Amino acid sequence: MAIPSSAPRYALTRAVVVSFFLLFISFTLLSSYHPPFKATLSKFSPFITSQTPHPPYTVAIIYLVRLSHADELLGSLASVNVYLPLRDPWPIILFHTGDFDDTPVQDDFLASLREKIGGQSNRSQRDFSDRVEFVKLDWVLPEGIPHTKEELDPVSPSSWPGYHHMCAFYSTKIFFNPRLQDVTYYLRMDTDSLFLEPLCYDPFEVMHARQRSYGYLGIGNDAPVVTKGLWRFIRDYADSHPEVESQLNASKTWKWPTGDVDLDDVPVSGYYNNFEIVKLEEFRKPEVKEWFYHLVQYPEGFYKWRWGDAPLRWVTTQMFFDMDRETERLCGIRYYHPYNYLEQCECVPLHP
């Protein structure tokens, strides 16, 4: 009897081994491949991580910046990177008026930022600098405002018109900026703002869990020299809007000037809003928008008398918010700004 050939069996075995080997190589290559991360953010989508479900809100950290203050901005961003415990690496938006228009300028700044912080953030798998966006603002003097200091004679000529533009921007325009259209909360920082120690909670989670519309650290006041006419302006608005007058009169923290006093000598309270967390939709309600429209119809308030965004933020929350239920003093945040004096209160974790 002829002995059967082993060739077909060998060929079959070899084919199986080769197929298995190729399959193993393919799986190894696929599992080790990670597509490159795109540094350019989509216009409105924040970063998300795959480790945790996306929260039911969106966030942006915002600055208004100038190239001449780049060094202190780098320090502020470094403190955000180290000490702000966010569950998601949200975008950081640098609003500017042209200083950062050119791509080489942006690239140089981001390279300096990477050098400053030493690579990735403490919380994110993404490089911290990849979260930064540059958004240009086009500021022009409103109709009716002279284009020279000599003709206008503003109260604060040394800072005109840049600081006055800033006050108008943060008082009214910020809420309607297209870049923030789909953002739930923003955290404002100034270039000379610094976190000094780790926070014991995510402040946005606090705002969301407690259903707050405005978060702050402290309250001071603006000097009467830069609030001339503001008390009369508020009084006139309240007189023509009974619901606003009723709200102010019912507030435990609102005080009208009383007695025989010159209103222009009475300071107006204001938040230290170089740090603030704002729920944007609450400042877009029709009744609030009407108040903002009234403000911008009197541009002299910003551009001649230098009404500030700090007292106007205080006035706005007093007019339209339940101060007990809708505002939150964010305790335990160790924060520095040259012009703030903050009484510290204990940091209590949201989830002990």
Side-chain angles (χ1 to χ4, degrees), residues 5 16 23 26 31 34 41-42 55 110 114-115 141 147 182 194 207 226 233-234 236 251 280 289-290 317-319 339:
S5 171
V16 171
L23 182 63
S26 299
S31 63
H34 298 283
L41 292 170
S42 62
L110 294 177
R114 285 189 287 270
E115 182 179 356
L141 290 169
H147 285 224
D182 294 340
L194 291 171
M207 296 288 290
V226 292
F233 189 87
I234 298 167
D236 289 346
S251 173
L280 283 154
K289 289 171 67 174
E290 183 180 353
T317 57
Q318 290 280 349
M319 282 181 170
Y339 303 108

Side-chain angles (χ1 to χ4, degrees), residues 79-80 83-84 189 194-197 199 275 333-335:
S79 77
V80 169
Y83 294 137
L84 191 60
M189 296 275 285
L194 291 171
F195 291 111
L196 302 177
E197 296 178 13
L199 280 67
F275 176 104
I333 297 180
R334 301 298 183 257
Y335 169 88

Side-chain angles (χ1 to χ4, degrees), residues 101-151:
D101 244 5
D102 297 330
T103 300
V105 174
Q106 297 179 11
D107 290 344
D108 287 347
F109 178 80
L110 294 177
S112 297
L113 178 59
R114 285 189 287 270
E115 182 179 356
K116 179 80 173 179
I117 65 177
Q120 293 183 346
S121 73
N122 62 327
R123 298 284 294 179
S124 169
Q125 292 184 350
R126 311 301 190 192
D127 189 280
F128 184 82
S129 64
D130 288 332
R131 296 162 57 186
V132 174
E133 302 178 43
F134 300 90
V135 176
K136 185 180 179 182
L137 302 171
D138 294 313
W139 283 349
V140 295
L141 290 169
E143 186 176 349
I145 295 297
H147 285 224
T148 65
K149 286 188 287 189
E150 291 74 21
E151 188 177 356

Side-chain angles (χ1 to χ4, degrees), residues 46-95:
F47 279 70
I48 59 174
T49 61
S50 58
Q51 287 77 13
T52 57
H54 189 65
Y57 55 83
T58 56
V59 165
I61 301 167
I62 69 170
Y63 288 81
L64 182 59
V65 301
R66 290 185 293 175
L67 189 57
S68 59
H69 291 185
D71 286 344
E72 65 182 19
L73 173 59
L74 289 171
S76 180
L77 290 171
S79 77
V80 169
N81 173 57
V82 173
Y83 294 137
L84 191 60
L86 303 182
R87 54 171 287 175
D88 290 82
W90 302 109
I92 299 164
I93 301 170
L94 305 184
F95 290 108

Side-chain angles (χ1 to χ4, degrees), residues 328-344:
E328 178 84 10
R329 184 185 176 196
L330 295 162
C331 280
I333 297 180
R334 301 298 183 257
Y335 169 88
Y336 169 80
H337 186 273
Y339 303 108
N340 287 21
Y341 170 72
L342 299 176
E343 294 182 3
Q344 297 295 342

